[in-house]
Amino acid sequence: MENYILEACVDSVESALAAAQGGATRLELCSNLIIGGTTPSPWLFKEIRKHTDIRIHALIRPRFGDFCYTDPEFAIIKQAVADFRELGAEGVVFGILKPDGTLNMEQMKELMDAAGDMSVTLHRAFDVCADPYRALDQAIELGIDTILTSGQKNVCIEGAELLRELVEKSGDRITIQVGSGVSAEVIRQMYPLTHARAYHMSGKVTLDSVMEYRREGVNMGLPALSEFEVWRTDPEKIREAIKVLEEL
């Protein structure tokens, strides 16, 4: 396949460098992947930049949960877009909905202005919007470069039919990037079904903490999650996905 994109979603310096080592086209940089990702700190961005020149798109999402934001939350989002532009990020990733499930075009236009010449991705707010076809047209109208989507399903393989339709309707006007549950094998299955050339994956593995002393029964966050597990991108998983894309 020519002109493919493999974006690695990462939330640490270690994962960013692993993704770059594996051959990822670019990074979606975030924090808190375990809750779907939130806005990363500028210090994380700067530290990654010290070690690699891989293209970085920063996720702008102030909190976990829905994509309908209060005025203070919107102010934070808009400032974050401007800050990452000043830092030199190549792109930003955001999305805002109205309570009725439509794109908030007024706020999205403000964010597009704040993004300037950065690449813009509409994130998976698209997957919970009321009308994906209308949202596709609106994203194109806004001048958005990419839509990250699972085809409005929990995992992309279940959304293959909608993804195929989106790829067909988008033509060369916007890139449809397949996300959620992506791996080398899933790419091999999805391409014949959708003809999508852009994919998004974390390539994560779960590592055991280096902590030797472990105080059990004390949780810093969700009780279901162990405090002694670390999520990291595996360069080999990225490498395997790149190999499949090059073979297709």
Side-chain angles (χ1 to χ4, degrees):
M1 184 193 304
E2 296 181 355
N3 302 319
Y4 64 78
I5 295 170
L6 183 68
E7 178 178 83
C9 186
V10 302
D11 62 359
S12 68
V13 176
E14 293 80 7
S15 287
L17 298 184
Q21 179 187 348
T25 306
R26 68 186 185 216
L27 307 178
E28 183 193 81
L29 182 62
C30 65
S31 291
N32 303 309
L33 260 179
I34 201 160
I35 54 170
T38 56
T39 306
S41 74
W43 308 285
L44 177 58
F45 176 91
K46 290 177 181 179
E47 188 63 28
I48 292 170
R49 266 287 171 258
K50 291 178 185 178
H51 303 283
T52 178
D53 61 358
I54 190 171
R55 186 179 182 90
I56 298 176
H57 291 191
L59 174 66
I60 311 298
R61 185 184 180 213
R63 57 162 171 78
F64 168 79
D66 65 39
F67 303 104
C68 187
Y69 296 108
T70 65
D71 289 342
E73 286 174 331
F74 176 67
I76 291 169
I77 291 169
K78 189 173 178 180
Q79 186 61 58
V81 170
D83 287 349
F84 277 101
R85 180 182 179 185
E86 184 175 346
L87 283 168
E90 286 81 6
V92 281
V93 182
F94 55 70
I96 301 181
L97 300 178
K98 291 183 176 180
D100 65 359
T102 60
L103 275 183
N104 189 320
M105 292 293 283
E106 296 80 8
Q107 291 186 338
M108 290 291 287
K109 286 175 182 175
E110 287 191 50
L111 297 183
M112 292 300 293
D113 289 342
D117 59 358
M118 286 191 293
S119 177
V120 174
T121 297
L122 170 59
H123 61 38
R124 291 187 65 210
F126 180 89
D127 282 329
V128 292
C129 74
D131 184 342
Y133 305 109
R134 182 182 178 196
L136 171 65
D137 289 339
Q138 290 176 320
I140 292 168
E141 177 188 334
L142 286 165
I144 288 171
D145 300 281
T146 301
I147 296 175
L148 172 62
T149 172
S150 61
Q152 297 204 319
K153 300 292 184 180
N154 276 332
V155 291
C156 63
I157 197 73
E158 296 174 356
E161 182 176 351
L162 177 57
L163 288 165
R164 176 186 57 78
E165 293 178 4
L166 294 170
V167 170
E168 289 178 356
K169 289 178 181 295
S170 63
D172 58 2
R173 298 177 297 166
I174 195 169
T175 298
I176 302 301
Q177 181 171 256
V178 177
S180 189
V182 172
S183 65
E185 184 53 37
V186 167
I187 293 172
R188 194 182 297 280
Q189 295 176 56
M190 289 294 290
Y191 180 69
L193 298 173
T194 66
H195 297 288
R197 293 176 172 270
Y199 296 86
H200 168 100
M201 64 183 288
S202 66
K204 71 176 183 295
V205 292
T206 303
L207 304 178
D208 192 42
S209 167
V210 298
M211 285 293 298
E212 296 176 1
Y213 175 76
R214 302 189 177 191
R215 170 72 67 182
E216 300 294 341
V218 180
N219 292 92
M220 301 296 131
L222 297 173
L225 301 176
S226 171
E227 301 295 338
F228 303 106
E229 292 181 351
V230 180
W231 285 10
R232 291 275 169 79
T233 295
D234 182 352
E236 187 56 34
K237 289 182 180 291
I238 302 297
R239 198 172 291 117
E240 290 169 357
I242 290 290
K243 182 179 179 182
V244 169
L245 287 166
E246 291 178 342
E247 290 172 351
L248 290 172

